[in-house]
């Protein structure tokens, strides 16, 4: 069966510090991968998605970047965090081409102080 | 870019009352999906609709996909406390880019 791992679960970082959130998927190959951000009490904002290794589509200009160094690994990064980067970050995967269902990780709650 | 809006943003209902959330996309969707996110949790898939005018039911939940494939609704009959959470619609666009855009969500609270 497929599983998705996302870590850490919570993170408190000072303004100006770097960020690296990792997401890995097991039990499937060539998945679509997604990073979403959810501000407190708000909807899911699509940040990045990827259809293959090294292929990243950015949805919103921002202080963040994403990379996909391996087929089932998706990394969200920042060189210098801003207060506005605080939020709940969710990684998700879906099978390519059929949009049947997206599977989410447990999420990372990031607080920038 | 594609925008997917949901109304209402919040809904408080007495236990046993019905609840409906509406989803509207700025562009035609290839499909619509619905998710439920419990407080503190992550979104969990409920259902997918693909065909124009499609209606699907899951126990007390009824899902509809509009004829123009730009809107959808989720109706819950006789709400229970276990229905508490935020309901999101999500749609794939017709441009073949594998993008999955979520709606703004409707947060449902139940008054016992």
């Amino acid at each position: 069966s497929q599983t998705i791992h996302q870590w850490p679960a919570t993170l408190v970082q000072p303004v100006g510090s770097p960020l690296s959130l990792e997401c890995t998927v097991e039990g499937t190959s060539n998945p679509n991968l997604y990073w979403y951000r959810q501000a407190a009490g708000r909807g899911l904002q699509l940040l990045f998605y990827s259809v293959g290794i090294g292929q990243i589509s950015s949805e919103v200009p921002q202080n963040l970047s994403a990379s996909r160094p391996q087929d089932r690994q998706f990394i969200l990064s920042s060189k210098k965090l801003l207060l506005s980067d605080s939020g709940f970050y969710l990684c998700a995967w879906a099978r390519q081409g059929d949009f049947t269902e997206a599977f989410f990780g447990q999420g990372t709650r990031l607080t920038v102080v | 870019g594609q925008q997917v809006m949901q109304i209402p943003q919040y809904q408080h209902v007495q236990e046993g009352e019905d609840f409906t959330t509406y989803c509207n996309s700025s562009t035609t969707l290839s499909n619509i999906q619905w998710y439920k996110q419990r407080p503190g949790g992550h979104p969990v898939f409920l259902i997918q609709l693909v065909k124009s005018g499609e209606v699907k039911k899951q126990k007390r939940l009824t899902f509809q996909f509009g004829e123009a494939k730009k809107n959808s609704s989720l109706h819950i009959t006789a709400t229970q406390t276990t229905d508490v959470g935020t309901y999101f619609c999500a749609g794939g666009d017709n441009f073949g880019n594998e993008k999955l855009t979520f709606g703004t969500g409707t947060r449902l609270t139940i008054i016992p």
Side-chain angles (χ1 to χ4, degrees):
Chain A
S1 64
Q2 301 90 4
T3 55
I4 178 169
H5 303 280
Q6 186 182 343
W7 67 92
T10 59
L11 192 58
V12 179
Q13 292 283 99
V15 168
S17 63
L19 173 74
S20 181
L21 301 181
E22 187 164 344
C23 172
T24 60
V25 180
E26 296 177 359
T28 189
S29 59
N30 202 27
N32 290 339
L33 296 171
Y34 304 86
W35 277 112
Y36 291 89
R37 177 171 59 200
Q38 186 175 32
R42 306 294 294 275
L44 295 168
Q45 180 187 34
L46 179 61
L47 302 176
F48 302 95
Y49 68 98
S50 171
V51 299
I53 296 173
Q55 300 179 60
I56 308 295
S57 296
S58 174
E59 286 299 297
V60 182
Q62 60 211 320
N63 185 40
L64 302 168
S65 63
S67 62
R68 184 170 178 174
Q70 301 179 43
D71 181 45
R72 289 169 289 179
Q73 183 184 29
F74 205 22
I75 298 172
L76 183 68
S77 304
S78 174
K79 291 182 179 178
K80 288 186 177 182
L81 284 169
L82 306 172
L83 286 174
S84 57
D85 292 324
S86 294
F88 191 43
Y89 288 82
L90 289 154
C91 179
W93 77 271
R95 291 183 183 84
Q96 282 206 3
D98 60 7
F99 275 122
T100 51
E101 177 177 355
F103 301 86
F104 282 83
Q106 298 296 314
T108 296
R109 194 162 303 280
L110 171 66
T111 305
V112 183
V113 297
Chain B
Q2 180 186 40
Q3 292 187 350
V4 182
M5 305 296 294
Q6 281 182 254
I7 55 171
Q9 187 175 0
Y10 302 97
Q11 186 77 60
H12 313 282
V13 301
Q14 290 277 352
E15 187 175 8
E17 291 182 343
D18 293 355
F19 159 76
T20 305
T21 173
Y22 300 92
C23 174
N24 293 285
S25 171
S26 59
T27 58
T28 303
L29 300 169
S30 59
N31 71 90
I32 194 84
Q33 300 172 23
W34 284 93
Y35 294 77
K36 177 183 178 181
Q37 182 180 25
R38 294 184 183 274
H42 60 277
V44 176
F45 176 82
L46 294 176
I47 207 163
Q48 181 197 39
L49 304 170
V50 179
K51 299 176 183 176
S52 170
E54 189 171 11
V55 178
K56 287 188 177 180
K57 292 191 175 184
Q58 286 181 349
K59 297 183 181 178
R60 295 179 293 105
L61 278 61
T62 302
F63 305 84
Q64 285 189 300
F65 199 10
E67 293 290 340
K69 300 184 77 172
K70 293 180 73 172
N71 56 73
S72 180
S73 65
L74 158 59
H75 179 82
I76 302 178
T77 304
T79 54
Q80 300 174 359
T81 54
T82 53
D83 295 326
V84 164
T86 302
Y87 292 85
F88 291 99
C89 62
D93 62 29
N94 279 316
F95 302 116
N97 57 20
E98 310 282 344
K99 188 167 72 170
L100 186 61
T101 300
F102 276 73
T104 47
T106 296
R107 181 185 290 183
L108 172 64
T109 56
I110 306 290
I111 305 166

